[in-house]
Amino acid sequence: MNDLWSQLFNFTDYGELLALVRNSIFAGAVLGVVGGLIGVFVMQRDMAFAVHGISELSFAGAAIALLFGVNVVAGSLVGSLIAAILIGLLGAKARDRNSIIAVLMPFGLGLGILALALYPGRSANKFGLLTGQIVSVDDPQLGSLLVIGAIVLIALLLMWRPLMFDSLDADVAASRGVPTRFVALAFMVLLGLAVAVSVQIVGALLVLSLLVTPAAAAMRISSSPLAVPLLSVGFALLSVVGGILLALGSSLPISPYVTTISFLIYVVCRLVGARGSRRVVSQAG
């Protein structure tokens, strides 16, 4: 039991270790803001499955880049954007979109596993693509993450109103002159960028905990168009930064901590939301 506890929580020399992951904390904060905001539209557009599909192609791109010794972030971006554009162009209807994602997911995962099997380098690099790496964010990676995060945030703010309109009722939005096809494709590109940078921190298999769960939790306790994005960002920041700080005191990857915090937040919000609904019903009765 003591050995298990020391693996989960060991804060010896924590102050010295904290300085080593400064870039990861900054990166986690950026991803919390990006993931929290874009996750609101992911939930509104019922595209949680798409996040997972894009992450598999992002993983494949990163694994191929690792195999050939090129920039892993660039490979991840290429894989994500290919998946996002294919889903956006071919999946206008929900049924078509789900079919395309179901085809892309095993292909991406299989391609990524093949690339990792051929990679002769350290196993830690392979494992990190799936589960995240706490100390792998160097200055160039942080710089590229900040640039990509800024692009996603600025684009989201510029298209917030038409994107919100299209997400709530695409037919009405189209009748009011909103270019719904362009908005949908632009959102998929932004989602692909967000997934690609998220994979570098939490890994390909667990990116849903950053881009879906915080927004899902926020929607359980509020329906306000202002409160939901703010709560989603707050929950995402707490999950990823808290996960990094806890993982620093252990020998385990970051992803179990991020996903556990995110899951607990969702459970609490679901319980609070259910209690509030029962109270409204009893008062109405």
Side-chain angles (χ1 to χ4, degrees):
M1 179 62 80
N2 289 335
D3 291 339
L4 176 61
W5 183 261
S6 63
Q7 283 186 312
L8 292 174
F9 304 104
N10 182 4
F11 297 102
T12 306
D13 300 325
Y14 190 80
E16 290 80 359
L17 293 173
L18 190 62
L20 298 177
V21 294
R22 181 185 61 182
N23 284 355
S24 293
I25 294 173
F26 288 151
V30 172
L31 292 180
V33 176
V34 172
L37 287 179
I38 205 167
V40 174
F41 295 105
V42 170
M43 293 300 298
Q44 288 179 342
R45 302 173 76 88
D46 193 22
M47 300 191 72
F49 193 39
V51 173
H52 199 26
I54 294 172
S55 71
E56 301 293 5
L57 265 294
S58 179
F59 160 67
I64 292 172
L66 186 66
L67 174 63
F68 288 101
V70 297
N71 189 284
V72 174
V73 176
S76 180
L77 282 171
V78 171
S80 286
L81 290 176
I82 289 174
I85 292 172
L86 284 176
I87 295 170
L89 290 176
L90 304 178
K93 297 180 179 180
R95 181 181 299 177
D96 294 336
R97 182 169 64 239
N98 289 337
S99 299
I100 293 166
I101 296 168
V103 171
L104 288 176
M105 282 176 58
F107 171 71
L109 186 59
L111 190 62
I113 291 174
L114 173 63
L116 292 187
L118 297 174
Y119 176 65
R122 296 189 308 159
S123 60
N125 292 334
K126 304 178 184 181
F127 194 58
L129 292 179
L130 293 172
T131 61
Q133 302 181 75
I134 187 172
V135 294
S136 64
V137 183
D138 54 22
D139 289 338
Q141 284 179 320
L142 179 61
S144 54
L145 186 149
L146 290 174
V147 170
I148 296 170
I151 291 172
V152 174
L153 288 176
I154 292 171
L156 272 179
L157 292 176
L158 289 175
M159 59 186 295
W160 189 276
R161 288 176 65 86
L163 180 58
M164 181 69 72
F165 198 4
D166 181 60
S167 299
L168 295 176
D169 196 325
D171 292 334
V172 175
S175 67
R176 296 292 182 87
V178 176
T180 54
R181 186 72 172 171
F182 172 78
V183 167
L185 184 59
F187 174 73
M188 289 305 303
V189 171
L190 295 181
L191 182 59
L193 293 174
V195 169
V197 294
S198 298
V199 164
Q200 304 304 312
I201 300 296
V202 297
L205 297 181
L206 302 169
V207 71
L208 291 173
S209 64
L210 189 59
L211 297 183
V212 174
T213 310
M219 289 181 174
R220 300 301 304 186
I221 58 176
S222 177
S223 57
S224 166
L226 177 61
V228 168
L230 292 177
L231 286 171
S232 180
V233 169
F235 294 156
L237 283 171
L238 180 60
S239 298
V240 68
V241 176
I244 291 173
L245 294 177
L246 286 176
L248 186 59
S250 77
S251 59
L252 299 178
I254 179 180
S255 51
Y257 295 96
V258 174
T259 53
T260 300
I261 295 172
S262 185
F263 174 73
L264 291 176
I265 290 173
Y266 176 79
V267 170
V268 171
C269 289
R270 189 174 182 90
L271 292 175
V272 171
R275 185 176 179 180
S277 298
R278 287 196 297 269
R279 183 179 301 169
V280 170
V281 171
S282 63
Q283 289 175 352

